[in-house]
Amino acid sequence: MSERLSVLKTYKLFIGGKFPRTESGRSIKVADASGSVVAHTCRSSRKDLRNAVEAAEKAQPGWASANAYLRGQILYRMAEMLEGKRDELAAAISITGKVGKDAALAEMDASVDRLVAFAGWADKYPQILGCHNPVTGPYYNFSVPEPTGVVGVVCPDEPSLLGLVSLVAPVICSGNAVVLLASETNPIPACVLAEVLATCDLPGGVVNILTGLRDELVEHFATHRAIAGVFAAGVSDEHRTALEAGAAENMKRVQVLDLGPDLAAGFADDSAMESPWVIEPFVETKTIWHPVSS
Amino acid sequence: MAASPTVFQAVNSPTINRVSADARAASFTTRSIKTTAKDAGLRLALSMVDLTTLEGKDSPEKVRSLCAKARRPMPDDERVLGERLPSVAAVCVYPSMVPVAAEALGGSGINVASVATGFPSGQYPLDVRLRDTAKAIADGADEIDMVINRGAFLSGKYGIVAEEIAEVTAVCAQGGPGGREVHLKVILETGELETYDNVRRASDLAIAQIRDGDFIKTSTGKVSPAATMGVTLVMLEAIRDAWLRDGKRIGMKPAGGIRTAKQSLHYLAMVKETLGDAWLSPDWFRFGASSLADDILRQIVRRKTGRYTAGYDFGVA
């Protein structure tokens, strides 16, 4: 019997709940430790980013107005679906040979747990970040957190899955929509995650996944005026400066997580990464005055 | 009763092969329009826009704000782009808003277009439709967008349709106060005409009744589908044939459903390749649209600055 030809998967983007190819037609090879190609991913262009932002803008108001309990339920569902792809995702995490099998499984489990943590926060963070302010006068005065809008997420190279989940979960938990740029060195877990997102009741467009080069796309994340904030980790000083300079032009929030040299250890720190204060950078505080009734 | 020659001619319109017409229309979306050609195309498209508001909730304030936008589509264009962008071709409103628009646009060179003749249905007695037209002209309309009697057309009463168009044309031909010239646009409402054969027949029928410099227009914007590339091509070809046959020169206005700058470039390619450069002017080609202008501005800004804009950067008018 002749030897079977291997079928390599070409991963597509995830925009507005659909899986389009990049409009640019370009791709990137992903190789394993021995250097042989194991998959292709899309090399997104600025136009893909534009399309993703449009999809996110459409989806965000509906997502923000979904009740907090439902958002929590959907995040939990996401964790369930992720758990169901445990082996596939662990294999994806270790596909480039940089992360061992056991470490990949541990990262996988930590990612599921992180989603569960923010599923829980979805209807509880407003109690922490909001308050009833004491004022002098016959008024109630409330401060309530509301989502910022469309948030760009620039993921670190490693950890490829936990880094992504840790940046995305707190942002969508409060009703923002996300356009994310996956790990450059190993985008496969993000692509597999897209298949989870497509089947977990998350409305299309709330999370949009791009793969490609930070050198090409960071600038557009920074300057696109419809992106209201950028959350990033593991970016170079140069990209950090580009984000901050571009954002200065249009007043968007930029939050670059500083986790020290060992990003994997930083992201694994539950107490820091599952704090409601990770949600805080991408909510806007609305203060309401209300007369005290007699 | 013998049919009048014009009516006979209209009935003898050529039949249209829908599949070929659609394929031909779709081919215009594959033109590569880049860099300087794109820049020029976007500015030309902007200058061809009939900025439109036709809603029950229109108020004088909304019309005034639309007129301000018509005069200067992007108020900070000189700061951001280093150039002054063209103003749009016309503002299109309901007859009751014509005095407001005429006052707000006075001296700008931007035309006031008014829908009339019982827009959007046209289902009113003829004398009411004619008075509707005359009143809009007296109030300051430079252009009248009339609707044809689709009920009569679809029941084969082409003579009635032709006669009604002729009567409205006569009202427009009298001009406005002070000898102001008034142009007519005949809305076929292609979404209700069912077939391309009907679109062609209605185009021929309208073209036979109107004057040089008048327009035919696809849609009211109240019926879906509104303007499509296919029906626009059929109408452009009717215009081309009239020009080649009789030397009569008619303008074209697709309206409704044209929302993106890219679409507008596709239409410009179609006009250029069907009628030639002579029709690439606001005097001969218009876009009836409400959100198109904003998308064109967005593209112009992106091409100049390299940055994408947000939906709230333009708009509100």
Side-chain angles (χ1 to χ4, degrees), chain B residues 59-281:
Chain B
S59 62
E61 290 72 22
K62 168 146 192 221
V63 170
R64 275 188 213 107
S65 117
L66 196 72
C67 291
K69 189 177 177 105
R71 281 172 176 261
R72 191 112 191 239
M74 186 177 165
D76 54 356
D77 48 2
E78 280 167 357
R79 182 179 64 79
V80 177
L81 306 169
E83 66 172 310
R84 182 77 181 243
L85 292 175
S87 48
V88 305
V91 170
C92 183
V93 293
Y94 269 121
S96 66
M97 293 296 155
V98 168
V100 179
E103 192 191 341
L105 294 174
S108 66
I110 300 167
N111 284 344
V112 178
S114 172
V115 295
T117 71
F119 182 92
S121 67
Q123 298 281 18
Y124 294 83
L126 182 61
D127 65 316
V128 173
R129 285 183 269 153
L130 294 175
R131 268 166 40 219
D132 191 14
T133 310
K135 179 74 167 70
I137 294 172
D139 283 346
D142 305 289
E143 303 174 359
I144 294 294
D145 289 26
M146 71 166 288
V147 286
I148 64 165
N149 185 340
R150 280 92 72 190
F153 182 88
L154 290 172
S155 36
K157 296 171 183 157
Y158 304 130
I160 291 180
V161 180
E163 190 148 313
E164 290 179 354
I165 297 173
E167 294 209 34
V168 179
T169 309
V171 173
C172 294
Q174 290 167 10
R180 204 180 62 245
E181 219 181 306
V182 176
H183 288 286
L184 177 65
K185 306 193 198 101
V186 182
I187 303 172
L188 309 182
E189 194 62 299
T190 53
E192 290 183 344
L193 296 185
E194 315 285 349
T195 66
Y196 282 5
D197 285 347
N198 280 343
V199 171
R200 172 67 194 228
R201 188 170 297 151
S203 303
D204 287 343
L205 190 148
I207 289 170
Q209 306 306 323
I210 57 185
R211 306 157 297 164
D212 249 52
D214 287 343
F215 280 65
I216 52 175
K217 171 175 168 183
T218 58
S219 326
T220 60
K222 304 290 180 198
V223 168
S224 185
T228 62
M229 297 281 288
V231 298
T232 306
L233 178 63
V234 171
M235 292 169 71
L236 288 172
E237 288 183 342
I239 292 171
R240 180 193 62 197
D241 292 348
W243 166 249
L244 295 176
R245 189 180 59 234
D246 308 324
K248 189 174 196 176
R249 192 164 172 197
I250 300 296
M252 173 71 201
K253 175 177 173 183
I258 305 169
R259 294 193 182 87
T260 66
K262 190 174 240 175
Q263 278 178 300
S264 71
L265 294 176
H266 295 159
Y267 277 89
L268 291 182
M270 179 156 68
V271 173
K272 183 178 166 69
E273 294 180 32
T274 310
L275 295 171
D277 287 348
W279 263 263
L280 287 179
S281 132

Side-chain angles (χ1 to χ4, degrees), chain A residues 49-64:
Chain A
L49 172 66
R50 174 199 63 189
N51 295 345
V53 172
E54 276 173 16
E57 277 186 294
K58 256 192 213 132
Q60 195 268 330
W63 178 240

Side-chain angles (χ1 to χ4, degrees), chain A residues 120-140:
Chain A
W121 276 124
D123 58 0
K124 298 174 192 71
Y125 79 89
Q127 293 90 304
I128 311 279
L129 303 183
C131 55
H132 175 199
N133 308 306
V135 290
T136 332
Y139 298 98
Y140 294 119

Side-chain angles (χ1 to χ4, degrees), chain A:
Chain A
M1 202 173 122
S2 61
E3 196 186 334
R4 185 173 173 273
L5 288 172
S6 58
V7 178
L8 292 189
K9 186 160 181 176
T10 298
Y11 290 94
K12 299 198 278 185
L13 306 177
F14 184 59
I15 296 176
K18 298 199 170 69
F19 290 90
R21 292 185 175 81
T22 165
E23 64 80 38
S24 67
R26 305 175 303 177
S27 63
I28 299 176
K29 292 186 174 77
V30 179
D32 63 12
S34 70
S36 45
V37 175
V38 286
H40 289 84
T41 57
C42 291
R43 183 172 152 197
S44 308
S45 67
R46 63 171 171 76
K47 290 189 181 175
D48 296 313
L49 172 66
R50 174 199 63 189
N51 295 345
V53 172
E54 276 173 16
E57 277 186 294
K58 256 192 213 132
Q60 195 268 330
W63 178 240
S65 65
N67 66 55
Y69 177 73
L70 179 67
R71 285 202 305 272
Q73 291 279 295
I74 291 175
L75 279 166
Y76 191 83
R77 177 81 182 146
M78 206 187 291
E80 287 177 358
M81 302 295 288
L82 201 63
E83 181 74 31
K85 280 187 178 269
R86 188 166 188 266
D87 293 337
E88 186 182 355
L89 269 161
I93 291 168
S94 56
I95 201 165
T96 57
K98 289 200 189 88
V99 179
K101 272 264 153 60
D102 292 343
L105 281 170
E107 183 181 335
M108 168 65 213
D109 292 344
S111 302
V112 173
D113 294 350
R114 188 125 312 156
L115 279 173
V116 172
F118 283 100
W121 276 124
D123 58 0
K124 298 174 192 71
Y125 79 89
Q127 293 90 304
I128 311 279
L129 303 183
C131 55
H132 175 199
N133 308 306
V135 290
T136 332
Y139 298 98
Y140 294 119
N141 183 279
F142 306 103
S143 289
V144 292
E146 295 192 336
T148 300
V150 175
V151 174
V153 169
V154 181
C155 298
D157 282 339
E158 296 290 346
S160 55
L161 180 66
L162 183 59
L164 184 159
V165 169
S166 301
L167 295 183
V168 168
V171 175
I172 59 173
C173 147
S174 65
N176 294 298
V178 161
V179 175
L180 75 85
L181 178 58
S183 159
E184 200 169 302
T185 52
N186 184 10
I188 308 290
C191 297
V192 178
L193 181 74
E195 293 166 10
V196 168
L197 299 179
T199 50
C200 76
D201 303 338
L202 188 76
V206 173
V207 175
N208 303 278
I209 298 181
L210 302 176
T211 54
L213 307 180
R214 285 196 288 272
D215 270 344
E216 287 179 347
L217 293 170
V218 156
E219 174 201 344
H220 296 290
F221 271 89
T223 57
H224 196 313
R225 288 177 50 85
I227 296 179
V230 177
F231 200 15
V235 293
S236 67
D237 289 346
E238 197 188 344
H239 287 150
R240 183 180 189 143
T241 308
L243 283 175
E244 286 168 352
E249 183 92 14
N250 49 39
M251 309 286 287
K252 75 175 52 141
R253 285 157 189 266
V254 172
Q255 182 81 4
V256 181
L257 278 187
D258 211 351
L259 298 173
D262 187 353
L263 279 178
F267 276 113
D269 180 356
D270 288 348
S271 64
M273 294 310 300
E274 290 173 7
S275 153
W277 294 99
V278 186
I279 301 171
E280 192 267 345
F282 299 102
V283 297
E284 309 298 322
T285 301
K286 179 165 85 180
T287 296
I288 303 161
W289 292 76
H290 192 285
V292 176
S293 60
S294 54

Side-chain angles (χ1 to χ4, degrees), chain B residues 10-29:
Chain B
V11 174
N12 278 332
S13 287
T15 56
I16 305 293
N17 179 330
R18 175 179 282 269
V19 174
S20 305
D22 282 339
R24 173 78 179 138
S27 74
F28 298 111
T29 64

